[in-house]
Amino acid sequence: MTALSVLDLSPITQGSTASQSLANSLDLARHAERLGYKRYWLAEHHNMPGIASAATSVVIAHVAGGTKTIRVGAGGIMLPNHAPLVIAEQFGTLNALFPGRIDLGLGRAPGTDMMTARALRRNLEASDNFPQDVVELMGYFQPAEEGQRIRAVPGEGQEVPVWILGSSLYGAQLAAMLGLPYAFASHFAPAELDHALEVYRTRFQPSAQLDKPYVMLGLNVFAAPTDAEAKLLFTSLQQAFVNLRSGRPGQLPPPVENYDRDLDPVAKTMLAQALSCAVVGSPETVRQGIDAFVRRTGADELMVTAQIFDHAARVRSFEILSDAHKSISQAA
């Protein structure tokens, strides 16, 4: 049965604060743990007024420290922003603090605009070195060899699972070549989904970490007691996406009745394409939607995200999804 996990951007809602968002993230993680979700991942984004997880490793420690069994990780760390040794030390430290519970997903994009990317790393060619940086980072997790001059402490000898994240064929090819699990960002960039899955699965080379392909797919799920309520909740993400793509990123806005009715055709088309991997509706609608998505893609795991303005409604959405997932497994 396909596993369920949570992707959290720790959204900062209009009128709220980063402190409240981070408290909400821990609360949602505790609910996800109780409901049986497999992982709880946080994403690295910078210069985003509506996202509180920029210091991703710190937030992972916050969530892992407040939970007991759920795996916690990065979905992902944008490696071009960092020296591989620094990330090896950070995640080696996390794994030393929370043994066997830490995941490290790695992405090639900067997770921000070019000006902010310069402020972070000041080297815009870093993404060209992504494959070499991934291999270097993985090497720091290996047991140290005699005479090794550079070591990750903590980090060396720790089995921190590494994932490749992507929204194009590039990540699929790299994950296949290195024999790593692959997470595709279909929740906001689904255009290359089918092609990327084909490339990854057909070119996969077994490795010490993984003996066969393993695919995790991002999926927006907005669940509520009725279809109408769920569609209303979904308008927060629609607004945020239009604002971001229009160069006006901001805090997550409250839902708006009939938001798409007055949208211009260009924005409607953009939303229809970017958010096509979304399941929005009542418990039965959600059950049918995730079942159809898994059947079409063969996903091993779904990484579910829900940018919902009201925290209680967000928790409820994940509860409804959990129940729907269990009903599918019972019927199988």
Side-chain angles (χ1 to χ4, degrees), residues 84-117:
L85 177 60
V86 171
I87 298 303
E89 291 171 340
Q90 289 179 5
F91 279 78
T93 300
L94 287 167
N95 199 59
L97 289 168
F98 312 104
R101 293 180 57 205
I102 300 299
D103 298 322
L104 173 54
L106 299 172
R108 177 171 170 254
T112 187
D113 58 89
M114 289 299 100
M115 184 178 296
T116 307

Side-chain angles (χ1 to χ4, degrees), residues 206-280:
S207 69
Q209 181 173 329
L210 197 62
D211 60 356
K212 61 181 180 180
Y214 190 93
V215 171
M216 175 194 289
L217 300 182
L219 184 65
N220 298 288
V221 177
F222 287 68
T226 67
D227 286 346
E229 290 176 74
K231 289 176 181 176
L232 179 60
L233 295 177
F234 189 50
T235 63
S236 290
L237 177 61
Q238 291 175 314
Q239 293 174 75
F241 230 90
V242 169
N243 292 341
L244 179 63
R245 294 292 176 90
S246 304
R248 299 177 285 110
Q251 296 180 333
L252 186 69
V256 174
E257 293 279 1
N258 301 315
Y259 171 69
D260 59 351
R261 184 181 61 189
D262 300 322
L263 272 180
D264 66 79
V266 173
K268 281 187 178 180
T269 300
M270 182 273 292
L271 286 177
Q273 293 173 346
L275 302 181
S276 63
C277 290
V279 177
V280 181

Side-chain angles (χ1 to χ4, degrees), residues 9 72 90 120 157 160 189 226 249 251 270 291 301 307 313 322:
L9 303 185
V72 188
Q90 289 179 5
L120 286 164
V160 178
T226 67
Q251 296 180 333
M270 182 273 292
D291 188 38
E301 189 167 341
Q307 295 283 82
S322 175

Side-chain angles (χ1 to χ4, degrees), residues 46-277:
H46 300 280
N47 197 26
M48 296 285 189
I51 297 176
S53 56
T56 315
S57 300
V58 178
V59 185
I60 290 171
H62 167 63
V63 170
T67 52
K68 296 178 180 178
T69 57
I70 194 169
R71 298 192 66 88
V72 188
I77 290 293
M78 301 297 106
L79 195 53
N81 298 335
H82 311 277
L85 177 60
V86 171
I87 298 303
E89 291 171 340
Q90 289 179 5
F91 279 78
T93 300
L94 287 167
N95 199 59
L97 289 168
F98 312 104
R101 293 180 57 205
I102 300 299
D103 298 322
L104 173 54
L106 299 172
R108 177 171 170 254
T112 187
D113 58 89
M114 289 299 100
M115 184 178 296
T116 307
R118 289 189 184 93
L120 286 164
R121 187 84 186 265
R122 298 180 172 84
N123 177 11
L124 297 187
E125 284 75 50
S127 62
D128 296 335
N129 300 324
F130 183 63
Q132 298 94 316
D133 285 351
V134 171
V135 171
E136 178 185 343
L137 172 51
M138 292 172 63
Y140 290 127
F141 290 136
Q142 298 299 312
E145 298 178 356
E146 187 175 351
Q148 183 173 324
R149 300 289 297 276
I150 302 176
R151 299 164 58 178
V153 182
E156 62 185 25
Q158 298 199 40
E159 297 181 357
V160 178
V162 173
W163 294 65
I164 299 297
L165 278 57
S167 58
S168 68
L169 303 185
Y170 186 100
Q173 293 169 336
L174 181 61
M177 181 179 70
L178 296 178
L180 296 176
Y182 181 49
F184 189 87
S186 36
H187 59 295
F188 73 89
E192 294 283 353
L193 171 59
D194 294 330
H195 196 183
L197 292 180
E198 179 188 8
V199 167
Y200 173 66
R201 287 168 172 155
T202 57
R203 300 187 187 183
F204 182 84
Q205 300 291 320
S207 69
Q209 181 173 329
L210 197 62
D211 60 356
K212 61 181 180 180
Y214 190 93
V215 171
M216 175 194 289
L217 300 182
L219 184 65
N220 298 288
V221 177
F222 287 68
T226 67
D227 286 346
E229 290 176 74
K231 289 176 181 176
L232 179 60
L233 295 177
F234 189 50
T235 63
S236 290
L237 177 61
Q238 291 175 314
Q239 293 174 75
F241 230 90
V242 169
N243 292 341
L244 179 63
R245 294 292 176 90
S246 304
R248 299 177 285 110
Q251 296 180 333
L252 186 69
V256 174
E257 293 279 1
N258 301 315
Y259 171 69
D260 59 351
R261 184 181 61 189
D262 300 322
L263 272 180
D264 66 79
V266 173
K268 281 187 178 180
T269 300
M270 182 273 292
L271 286 177
Q273 293 173 346
L275 302 181
S276 63
C277 290

